[in-house]
């Protein structure tokens, strides 16, 4: 192949992104220089955090540049190599998604074993998604056996794993919110003790699902979910703030939470986190999650969209909540 297709950011969205903010561009397949490899991407990840990178604002990661390819986690096969330690044919995980062929320094790629699990799993349950769930619940929120855990966006890639890991680590009760009756049923099938559709009323539904209060809240949503969780939290409760998807596309300041004063009297801990700060638990994560997968006690869902040209549509679907589990693009 000599032709390479990639998705560029054509314009910065205001509010909700649209297909017009993206452009499909055809380029030549790159040629590696010394110490470099070329990867034919097989799968790429689309994630809510990418919405923030479309804004030209200072954040924990640089914004996407206009008229240049976006990037994100991807996995694929090495098709050309000028690096001594990565051979042609190797499967590698890297950070240059949103394109069919990626040119990168070999040091920026992590070889993985495709015989252990489907390669897509390295972008979901065995990748940053799984580590985010594991570290956020056990390190950031420091969940203890017997505690009640509430997870928002619980049918998503991270949330569905948080709930299952909580049960496997001895949580007394696990509650999840999701955006449809079908997703609520899926959460129950995954072992959640209670689940509700947030369209039915978050505060009321959470109160009914957790009559004795909540000890740990894993927040993927922010806004009204965070407000409801604060009201339901027990003394010395902990909130691990992973994401706030409810306000990623907002053009006005969020209306909630309006009850932050409760943080004082309840002596709550609200802690934001980034998964890259917790690489020290990666070995424990792989040991535990690998074992649970082999035993069949941990399940994971993937929603797969085919074709690089459909990557923008897949990304917009994540923001709408169209996915069950991890949203991936099969390149």
């Amino acid at each position: 192949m000599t032709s390479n297709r990639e998705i560029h950011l054509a314009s910065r969205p205001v509010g909700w992104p649209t297909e017009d903010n993206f452009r499909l561009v055809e380029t030549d397949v790159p040629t590696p220089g010394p110490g470099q490899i070329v990867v034919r991407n097989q799968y790429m990840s689309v994630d809510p955090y990418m919405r923030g990178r479309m804004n030209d604002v200072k954040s924990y990661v640089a914004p996407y540049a206009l008229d240049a390819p976006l990037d994100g986690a991807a996995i694929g096969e090495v098709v050309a190599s000028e690096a001594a330690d990565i051979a042609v044919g190797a499967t590698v995980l890297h950070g240059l998604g949103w394109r069919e062929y990626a040119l990168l320094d070999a040091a920026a790629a992590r070889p993985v074993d495709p015989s252990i699990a489907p390669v897509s799993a390295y972008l979901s349950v065995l990748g940053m998604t799984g580590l985010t769930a594991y570290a956020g619940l056990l390190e950031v929120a420091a969940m203890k056996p017997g505690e009640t855990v509430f997870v928002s966006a619980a049918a998503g890639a991270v949330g569905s794993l948080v709930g299952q890991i909580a049960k496997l680590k001895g949580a007394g009760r696990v509650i999840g919110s999701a955006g449809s009756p079908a997703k609520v049923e899926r959460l129950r099938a995954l072992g959640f003790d209670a689940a509700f559709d947030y369209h039915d009323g978050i505060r009321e539904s959470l109160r009914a699902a957790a009559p004795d209060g909540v000890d740990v809240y894993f927040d993927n949503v922010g806004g009204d979910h965070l407000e409801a969780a604060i009201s339901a939290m027990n003394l010395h409760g902990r909130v691990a703030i992973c994401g706030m998807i409810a306000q990623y596309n907002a053009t006005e300041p969020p209306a909630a939470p309006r009850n932050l004063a409760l943080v004082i009297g309840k002596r709550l801990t609200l802690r934001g986190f980034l998964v890259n700060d917790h690489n020290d638990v990666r070995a424990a994560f792989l040991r535990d999650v690998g074992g649970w997968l082999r035993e069949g006690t941990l399940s994971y869902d993937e929603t797969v969209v085919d074709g690089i040209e459909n990557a923008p549509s897949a990304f917009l679907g994540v923001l709408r909540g169209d996915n069950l589990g991890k949203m991936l693009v099969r390149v």
Side-chain angles (χ1 to χ4, degrees):
M1 293 291 292
T2 59
S3 178
N4 176 36
R5 295 185 299 166
E6 51 193 32
I7 303 294
H8 289 205
L9 184 64
S11 60
R12 300 200 184 278
V14 177
W16 280 85
T18 69
E19 297 269 1
D20 291 338
N21 296 125
F22 304 89
R23 181 182 301 117
L24 180 65
V25 176
E26 188 167 312
T27 65
D28 294 331
V29 173
T31 300
Q36 293 184 319
I37 58 175
V38 174
V39 181
R40 173 62 169 96
N41 285 333
Q42 296 167 314
Y43 289 89
M44 54 166 275
S45 175
V46 288
D47 303 285
Y49 83 88
M50 294 174 173
R51 174 61 186 86
R53 295 189 65 191
M54 294 177 183
N55 299 329
D56 189 13
V57 296
K58 185 177 181 180
S59 184
Y60 63 88
V61 62
Y64 291 127
L66 287 175
D67 300 314
L70 293 86
D71 59 63
I75 193 166
E77 180 183 354
V78 176
V79 295
S81 176
E82 292 295 331
D85 52 347
I86 299 184
V88 170
T91 300
V92 297
L93 190 66
H94 62 92
L96 291 182
W98 293 87
R99 66 203 80 189
E100 291 176 319
Y101 290 86
L103 172 68
L104 62 148
D105 292 337
R110 180 162 66 90
V112 298
D113 187 348
S115 69
I116 293 176
V119 293
S120 61
Y122 288 100
L123 293 174
S124 57
V125 64
L126 291 175
M128 286 297 185
T129 298
L131 183 58
T132 298
Y134 186 93
L137 178 69
L138 303 179
E139 295 290 307
V140 178
M143 187 210 83
K144 302 185 223 20
E147 291 190 318
T148 296
V149 177
F150 171 44
V151 188
S152 57
V158 173
S160 59
L161 297 177
V162 171
Q164 293 180 83
I165 293 170
K167 293 296 291 184
L168 288 163
K169 288 291 188 177
R173 186 167 177 79
V174 176
I175 301 152
S177 73
S180 72
K183 289 184 176 181
V184 168
E185 286 305 310
R186 178 57 180 159
L187 295 182
R188 291 178 178 140
L190 290 174
F192 282 67
D193 297 291
F196 61 85
D197 185 336
Y198 65 81
H199 296 103
D200 295 333
I202 304 166
R203 187 185 293 257
E204 300 80 6
S205 298
L206 181 57
R207 187 183 300 118
D212 297 322
V214 171
D215 301 299
V216 168
Y217 171 45
F218 194 103
D219 190 15
N220 291 303
V221 177
D224 291 342
H225 272 83
L226 180 55
E227 180 174 274
I230 289 172
S231 292
M233 297 295 286
N234 293 325
L235 291 180
H236 303 291
R238 287 91 64 207
V239 180
I241 301 177
C242 176
M244 292 193 173
I245 196 171
Q247 60 198 65
Y248 288 169
N249 299 304
T251 56
E252 300 292 334
R258 295 157 291 194
N259 59 349
L260 285 175
L262 292 177
V263 171
I264 302 168
K266 292 188 175 188
R267 281 85 96 196
L268 305 181
T269 299
L270 279 64
R271 182 179 168 191
F273 74 100
L274 298 177
V275 65
N276 287 336
D277 295 336
H278 298 278
N279 283 318
D280 58 314
V281 301
R282 182 180 293 277
F285 155 70
L286 291 173
R287 181 195 65 231
D288 284 349
V289 171
W292 293 328
L293 289 173
R294 285 191 297 272
E295 295 164 2
T297 54
L298 182 70
S299 299
Y300 65 99
D301 293 314
E302 295 176 346
T303 300
V304 179
V305 173
D306 283 309
I308 187 70
E309 68 277 9
N310 293 316
S313 176
F315 170 70
L316 298 178
V318 168
L319 298 183
R320 292 191 301 264
D322 294 348
N323 55 302
L324 185 65
K326 181 71 175 179
M327 179 72 90
L328 297 170
V329 177
R330 185 160 36 216
V331 180

